Amino acid sequence: MMAWLLAMLACADSDLLSALAPPQAEVRVEAQASKVGSGEAVIIDVETWAAEGWVVQAGVPVAEGLTVEMLEQSDPVVVNDRTVRVVRYALSGPDGSYVIATTEGEATGPSEQQRSFTPPPIFADIGVDGPVGGPMDGFAATPEADPPPYGWIAGAVAALLAVLAAIAGVVRWLRGRERPAPPATPPHIVAQGDWAEARATIDDDHRLALRLSMILRVYIEAVTPIPATKATAGEIGEGLRRHGFDGRALTDEDRIPVERILDSTDRLKFAREGGGEPFFAELDRHFASVIASSRPRSGPEAERA
């Protein structure tokens, strides 16, 4: 009898440990602060956790009325046999209360296993105290029933009606919280993420130059009518002179970073000129200038444009 009991406990412990084991792939989204002052940005950290053999691609935080900017991406760190990466974003815009959603992420594991992630939304306030009261505000209290004429039977009926009314109120509240799917990830955020990933994962200079050149071309094609993925560097430069970014005229100073990235990567691809960390660090600076001059603007910045 004792042996049987010990065997059952051992099985229970094994099942419990398996249930408590961390997931092989995971995405966590956190705000450094849910309330910030007027003119400040809400800082969001998107963490990916991946066990050996898993590759996790996280989504991007977005919110209607806020501009999204990727600030930095950490180097991978191993924590309890899982690799952790953190990408930090800044969301800024006018004062108000916002619901920050995160676009869907996905993970691929051994034997072509796949998972998707839709983290819960984050409620944030910029320059305001936020909505007053809790989510159930606005529901009137159930009026007290008149003394039942038939004793406990009428009291039971009144209690049942009150419970049904409360359930109906909760259902209405839950329906009111349903929101449309978050908007597509802005092109400049996609380009920043792809650029950072390429710099972190590709260690061959020639392959890295090919990848960075294509990331820039895909981005230009997304924000202009220029068929940049099929055009030469000269054709792209001429197209930018005519069209600018999203219809915004560009100065020669704005176009120079684009031309230098394309020229430098072409020289490395075809003539094997350049390469090494200083070379790619210079490309990083040019790419940051391209994003700064082309990403969507809001608030006073848009008024000056």
Side-chain angles (χ1 to χ4, degrees):
M1 181 68 178
M2 182 62 70
W4 176 83
L5 180 58
L6 291 175
M8 291 294 292
L9 289 175
C11 291
D13 287 344
S14 176
D15 293 341
L16 179 59
L17 290 175
S18 176
L20 294 177
Q24 295 174 307
E26 185 180 4
V27 174
R28 303 177 186 175
V29 180
E30 298 179 350
Q32 291 191 1
S34 60
K35 294 181 183 291
V36 299
S38 179
E40 297 181 6
V42 179
I43 305 301
I44 302 292
D45 288 338
V46 180
E47 302 177 4
T48 59
W49 296 68
E52 184 177 359
W54 283 84
V55 177
V56 181
Q57 183 66 47
V60 175
V62 290
E64 184 177 355
L66 295 183
T67 298
V68 184
E69 180 180 3
M70 189 180 78
L71 299 180
E72 58 182 326
Q73 177 173 276
S74 71
D75 294 329
V77 177
V78 177
V79 179
N80 294 333
D81 298 326
R82 294 194 298 172
T83 300
V84 184
R85 290 177 183 269
V86 181
V87 183
R88 179 163 294 171
Y89 297 90
L91 286 78
S92 56
D95 290 355
S97 297
Y98 297 92
V99 178
I100 300 174
T102 303
T103 58
E104 186 177 69
E106 58 184 20
T108 304
S111 303
E112 298 184 352
Q113 300 177 71
Q114 291 188 332
R115 295 180 183 176
S116 60
F117 308 95
T118 304
I122 294 174
F123 299 88
D125 301 313
I126 299 178
V128 298
D129 291 333
V132 177
M136 295 297 290
D137 278 2
F139 292 102
T142 305
E144 294 184 5
D146 293 332
Y150 299 108
W152 67 269
I153 296 177
V157 171
L160 177 60
L161 291 175
V163 170
L164 291 176
I167 292 174
V170 172
V171 170
R172 287 196 300 272
W173 173 66
L174 289 175
R175 287 177 177 173
R177 287 175 59 87
E178 292 179 357
R179 299 181 180 276
T185 305
H188 71 283
I189 295 296
V190 174
Q192 286 179 304
D194 290 346
W195 187 282
E197 182 181 7
R199 290 283 280 124
T201 59
I202 301 176
D203 55 8
D204 177 79
D205 285 0
H206 184 257
R207 289 197 304 114
L208 182 56
L210 288 171
R211 179 64 179 141
L212 297 183
S213 176
M214 183 53 64
I215 290 170
L216 177 62
R217 290 168 181 272
V218 169
Y219 175 62
I220 292 174
E221 196 165 283
V223 298
T224 73
I226 304 168
T229 55
K230 301 177 182 178
T232 65
E235 290 169 340
I236 293 173
E238 181 59 31
L240 289 176
R241 289 185 181 88
R242 294 200 310 269
H243 303 291
F245 284 117
D246 277 338
R248 297 201 306 267
L250 299 181
T251 65
D252 290 338
E253 185 178 355
D254 292 330
R255 290 191 298 270
I256 286 175
V258 175
E259 295 170 352
R260 286 186 176 172
I261 292 175
L262 295 176
D263 179 65
S264 298
T265 53
D266 281 350
R267 283 190 290 108
L268 181 54
K269 287 187 295 183
F270 301 118
R272 303 290 179 170
E273 295 181 8
E277 185 54 32
F279 173 87
F280 287 106
E282 184 70 13
L283 294 189
D284 290 342
R285 289 191 287 272
H286 291 321
F287 180 73
S289 296
V290 173
I291 295 299
S293 64
S294 61
R295 66 182 177 85
R297 302 172 183 175
S298 62
E301 186 180 2
E303 295 174 4
R304 293 195 298 268

